[in-house]
Amino acid sequence: MITFHLGVIDIPYGDENTTTGDVAENLEEKYQIMQTFFDRYGNDIADLMSKDLAANLENMLAGAPPGNDPFAESMSRIHDLFVGFLDNCEMNGLPGVPTLRAMKGISKRFKKRNGPPRPSFIDTGTYQAAMRAWVSGVLNAFPK
């Protein structure tokens, strides 16, 4: 069985008491960001993954051993889709989005805390950069 996951690399977030995992859980509970992303891009994600599978099968039929991560290319492209999803404010219009902090241009990245409006959920950029897509159960799908 292959299982697709969306999440973040759990690293410190701004202070030592908060991690990207904490931030992701809070944002998901309040805004369902990753669920909304998957709902909108699920077909694209499936297409990317199927292309990776096809390429790996072609390589195997040609005699090449399967790669360590047959979905590496699609997982990287899914991350890029997520970055664009946030950069392009695709959550706008859903309850509470854009966020008040985004509309006020509040950001922890700059000395001047208020600026022009910015996309929601990209205050420091850490959550967005830490997002990862991965698949578990792959080793069973491609015997060596």
Side-chain angles (χ1 to χ4, degrees):
M1 174 190 275
I2 295 175
T3 305
F4 176 72
H5 305 270
L6 291 173
V8 295
I9 297 171
D10 200 24
I11 57 175
Y13 190 94
D15 62 48
E16 294 185 25
N17 298 323
T18 306
T19 68
T20 51
D22 298 328
V23 170
E25 285 181 12
N26 292 337
L27 290 175
E28 196 62 23
E29 183 178 318
K30 187 169 183 177
Y31 299 104
Q32 297 80 44
I33 298 169
M34 290 192 185
Q35 183 63 55
T36 301
F37 169 73
F38 183 77
D39 291 345
R40 291 194 183 168
Y41 286 96
N43 289 336
D44 296 318
I45 290 168
D47 186 50
L48 290 168
M49 291 175 69
S50 69
K51 287 178 181 174
D52 267 358
L53 278 176
N56 276 279
L57 288 173
E58 284 179 21
N59 289 341
M60 286 173 50
L61 290 172
N68 288 338
D69 185 356
F71 294 105
E73 177 67 26
S74 57
M75 297 303 111
S76 175
R77 301 217 26 222
I78 292 164
H79 176 268
D80 295 343
L81 278 174
F82 185 77
V83 167
F85 173 75
L86 294 182
D87 283 345
N88 296 324
C89 304
E90 293 183 41
M91 289 287 296
N92 283 5
L94 296 174
V97 186
T99 64
L100 184 59
R101 292 178 60 86
M103 289 188 292
K104 290 184 174 184
I106 298 171
S107 178
K108 295 177 186 174
R109 286 192 277 185
F110 308 110
K111 288 181 182 179
K112 182 181 174 190
R113 300 295 277 247
N114 291 12
R118 61 168 177 79
S120 297
F121 317 116
I122 310 179
D123 184 348
T124 65
T126 305
Y127 166 72
Q128 182 185 43
M131 181 275 180
R132 291 295 180 269
W134 71 97
V135 176
S136 61
V138 174
L139 295 179
N140 297 333
F142 289 96
K144 293 195 178 202

